[in-house]
Amino acid sequence: MRASIYYARYWRLYAMLVLPVLYFVIFKYGPMYGVQIAFKDFNFFQGIHGSEWIGLEAFREVFNNQEFYKTLRNTLMLNGLDLVISFPAPIILAIMLYELNINWFKRISQTILYIPHFISWVIIGGIVMQVFGTQSGMINNVLNGLGLDSIPFLTDKNSWLATYLATGVWQSAGWGTILYLAALTGINRELFEAAEIDGANRFRRIWHVSIPGIRMTIVTLLIIQLGNMISIGFERPYVIGNLAVRDFSDVLSTFVYRIGIESGQYTIATVVGLFQAVIGLIFLLAANTIAKKLNGEGII
Amino acid sequence: MTEKQANRLFDLTNVVLITLAVIVCIAPFIHIIAISLSSSRAIMSGEVTLLPIEVTWEAYKRVFTDASMLRSLGFTMYLTVITTILSMIMTILAAYPLAKSSLRWKSLIMFFIVITMFFSGGMIPEYLLVRDLGLINTTWSLVLPNLISPFFLIILITFFKGIPDSLEEAADVDGSSHFRTLFSIVLPLSAPVMATLSLFYAVNRWNGFQDTLMYITNPNLYPLQLKLYQIVSNAQASDLLRSEGVGMFEIMPEGLKAASVIFATVPILLVYPWLQRYFVNGTMVGAVKG
């Protein structure tokens, strides 16, 4: 088709794309242009464009900053612990749900287990205060009632780690079962029947049919999570953390917020953010390559 | 033990364990409800676990008559509606052409969009952009920066591609334009996926907190999450001071905090039945990865 005829016929398709493309240019690519302030001595009066170039000076400053290493360590530590504790939870839960053969019970359980996923971190933070609080928190009330001492879940950094991880499991385990349940439903029923005829008990059926059936899903999600090792959401550590446990709760995202938005050191904060974004991208591309080798198809 | 008995024992244990998981899931909510309905004396003496003691509606009366709380609720509703409508319009505008095989440079445009899922300028450049556009302390700072979710866009494109071309071609022969096809054929056919995406946009906006913390300093524009955070962070401060032996430093009674948490949770629980109808049937399975 000749271009003029083509566009006469299809120009509306391109017209529709104008606003969405403009959105991506301004609000997604605009900040990418702004990243240059990592290499500039940014000040408000001269703006992004007018500020003076300083090369890698800000990077040197960041890499000599002890707090940067602490937040980097905490990011890796919290993500690593999440991988060990929160990652297996939905797998186990999904297998248990799949084994249920009372349908109404299964449906009600799923409905309730998915709820925490839709609760905001601020609300979860409020709940955490009231459940884990030292003075009148629910768990410490129960402990005291049993004649035991209170545990400072929110103010001792090691106990706080447990609080942080437990909250993560509570929030994500139920929702996380969805993909595994979909994979389990996809397993050929005949495999289960064959196993039953061979005299395999329930545990053996889970071990030899269910788990191999969802192995690819597990591996793929594991690789995605490994690829996200250095990126961490802002809201969970910010809302659940506090000054007393900052040694553990201060991560890259909260660090960027604190030195950037709160203290106005925009250049330094941008450097930290850029470091995180670049390393994160490398991790993700590496994860994608691994997934391609294993699955034959990538995750991106 | 016979095989039948072993099976029954397995099922029983499984039901018990899942029941425990379900209880762990809702116990915190029940505790908060109990706290919100109990007297201050009972809360402070640590008697309240899952049942309210010395029931009083005082906390709710105060939350529901607090002007700043109600204004915050009203503003959040307005914000959520505006965001959802604009996000859906923009997502549809992008998805419809990108689902068409007759669009040229399609993979280039997709690449341009997908990149933003994996690399972003980061918190500070985004903040400076919003500031330079003069959006700080406006509703728009909470609407525009996340207007289109590339993730939801991809879901919608996939859905539009699944609509048989023959249906649209029939309309085209009638001389109907792309806009007419969109409104009379494509949109009615995709009502369920539209409803799902709208709900997810709405829930994301309702629950969003980080951008409100960054862009809003005017108390008249505090969305519910930011308002609630201040109540919650006061709780943190008082817990900290107590543990360090500074003594009682009561900023806000516990019952009032609990009632505020419930106040912010109820709207989500109200839309939850509609949400779950869609994700259970698998529409959103692809969205879980993100």
Side-chain angles (χ1 to χ4, degrees), chain A residues 6 29 44 111 120 202 235, chain B residues 7 11 102 112 131 225 272:
Chain A
Y6 172 82
Y29 285 86
F44 270 130
T111 300
S120 76
R202 299 283 280 278
E235 298 183 0
Chain B
N7 253 335
D11 283 330
S102 44
F112 165 85
R131 222 188 52 110
Q225 304 299 332
Y272 184 69

Side-chain angles (χ1 to χ4, degrees), chain A residues 64-221:
Chain A
N64 284 321
N65 184 330
Q66 286 309 308
E67 249 186 307
F68 166 70
Y69 290 105
K70 198 178 77 185
T71 54
L72 178 60
R73 179 206 68 190
N74 287 345
T75 305
L76 294 172
M77 175 177 75
L78 294 182
N79 282 341
L81 287 169
D82 257 346
L83 193 67
V84 176
I85 309 284
S86 299
F87 185 77
I91 303 174
I92 297 166
L93 199 56
I95 289 174
M96 286 167 64
L97 284 169
Y98 188 70
E99 290 294 325
L100 277 181
N101 33 33
I102 316 163
N103 267 328
W104 64 267
F105 180 72
K106 184 176 175 178
R107 212 172 41 239
I108 292 177
S109 304
Q110 281 177 282
T111 300
I112 293 171
L113 289 168
Y114 294 157
I115 289 178
H117 176 78
F118 295 96
I119 303 296
S120 76
W121 279 110
V122 175
I123 291 177
I124 294 176
I127 294 174
V128 164
M129 298 304 129
Q130 304 240 11
V131 170
F132 291 100
T134 312
Q135 198 74 6
S136 59
M138 179 175 80
I139 293 178
N140 278 320
N141 283 353
V142 173
L143 288 178
N144 293 341
L146 297 170
L148 299 166
D149 285 337
S150 295
I151 298 172
F153 286 110
L154 301 173
T155 46
D156 169 73
K157 58 185 187 181
N158 291 311
S159 313
W160 179 83
L161 268 187
T163 309
Y164 177 87
L165 293 170
T167 311
V169 172
W170 182 81
Q171 194 256 359
S172 65
W175 182 249
T177 61
I178 288 192
L179 281 179
Y180 295 114
L181 282 170
L184 282 166
T185 320
I187 298 175
N188 191 342
R189 291 299 309 171
E190 285 169 16
L191 289 175
F192 286 100
E193 283 153 21
E196 205 177 339
I197 292 164
D198 287 349
N201 65 28
R202 299 283 280 278
F203 287 107
R204 294 186 71 89
R205 258 189 283 163
I206 290 172
W207 189 252
H208 292 291
V209 182
S210 299
I211 292 182
I214 59 173
R215 203 183 57 214
M216 262 359 273
T217 312
I218 296 176
V219 171
T220 309
L221 291 180

